[in-house]
Amino acid sequence: MIHTTHAVFAAALTEVMLVSEHAPISWQAAATIAVAFVVAPVPDIDQPESWVSRHIPGASLVSKFIRHRTLTHSLLVSVLLYLVLFGLGFHIPDWLATGIFMGWVSHWLIDLVNPMGVQLFYPLPWWVKPPVPWLAIGVESPGESLIRALMRVFVTVLTLSYLLVHAPPMLQKAAGPLETYALRWVGLWTWPWLGTVCHVLHLR
Ligand SMILES: [Zn+2]
């Protein structure tokens, strides 16, 4: 996937996570989504042609030592990152730690639908890829463009719906039937199991 697809997917996933946790409307919630958006393309630092490698000075050196979609896309690094962000007593603000973690994890999650897959259990040599070829979405393919466009719409509609659901009653009344649709849409993307997982992992 290209960097914009990763960024939008991270924003969408983080938003569903916050909605599932019934997060209050706050600058911290907005900052969490923004951080995830910015961090999401970073694991592709292992690819010399990636946006990150081309825009961060010296970043392309990493790809000389690490094969694409191996170490930076592994569960191992995700767990280590989690420990650094939440487990070692660095007192990183929740919004920042959660944003970084969600950005990173969302990256390999969506790379799993790529035909090449991901060496998720690195250093073990197994590549995890879509079970059937027609489910795979190639980098910069029409499928990727379509998914990215749909996710942009999704993020916008969910944001507006969540804001309306938490708006003052006067504003909700003025919105008329839109408020009912917003409530339904937010309800559809409130996943109690995800809220529980995030609570256990202290993601908020
Ligand atoms: Zn990647």
Side-chain angles (χ1 to χ4, degrees), residues 25-105:
I25 309 256
S26 62
W27 72 263
Q28 286 93 338
T32 304
I33 296 168
V35 171
F37 184 89
V38 171
V39 168
V42 176
D44 276 345
I45 199 164
D46 61 2
Q47 220 272 59
E49 300 303 315
S50 71
W51 187 89
V52 178
S53 296
R54 286 184 286 113
H55 287 81
I56 300 177
S60 56
L61 274 176
V62 176
S63 60
K64 295 199 189 306
F65 302 100
I66 301 171
R67 192 181 165 197
H68 186 36
R69 295 195 179 160
T70 58
L71 181 65
T72 61
H73 293 55
S74 67
L75 280 177
L76 177 70
V77 163
S78 292
V79 171
L80 289 176
L81 181 67
Y82 180 84
L83 291 176
V84 170
L85 292 169
F86 297 95
L88 297 183
F90 286 132
H91 301 295
I92 301 168
D94 285 337
W95 61 267
L96 183 59
T98 300
I100 294 172
F101 186 71
M102 290 304 291
W104 197 276
V105 169

Side-chain angles (χ1 to χ4, degrees), residues 51-190:
W51 187 89
V52 178
S53 296
R54 286 184 286 113
H55 287 81
I56 300 177
S60 56
L61 274 176
V62 176
S63 60
K64 295 199 189 306
F65 302 100
I66 301 171
R67 192 181 165 197
H68 186 36
R69 295 195 179 160
T70 58
L71 181 65
T72 61
H73 293 55
S74 67
L75 280 177
L76 177 70
V77 163
S78 292
V79 171
L80 289 176
L81 181 67
Y82 180 84
L83 291 176
V84 170
L85 292 169
F86 297 95
L88 297 183
F90 286 132
H91 301 295
I92 301 168
D94 285 337
W95 61 267
L96 183 59
T98 300
I100 294 172
F101 186 71
M102 290 304 291
W104 197 276
V105 169
S106 71
H107 182 104
W108 57 255
L109 267 177
I110 195 166
D111 267 352
L112 286 173
V113 301
N114 194 268
M116 179 184 167
V118 164
Q119 205 173 339
L120 190 59
F121 302 103
Y122 181 90
L124 295 173
W126 306 324
W127 285 79
V128 183
K129 49 181 91 173
V132 280
W134 57 265
L135 269 179
I137 297 166
V139 175
E140 295 197 67
S141 65
E144 182 178 352
S145 303
L146 176 68
I147 283 182
R148 190 172 54 244
L150 289 174
M151 285 191 305
R152 279 191 178 131
V153 175
F154 172 80
V155 168
T156 308
V157 174
L158 188 57
T159 303
L160 294 175
S161 302
Y162 202 67
L163 288 173
L164 183 56
V165 165
H166 292 84
M170 207 175 73
L171 210 67
Q172 289 180 347
K173 211 174 163 193
L178 274 182
E179 203 262 332
T180 313
Y181 293 128
L183 203 59
R184 280 191 202 148
W185 189 244
V186 169
L188 195 62
W189 298 100
T190 303

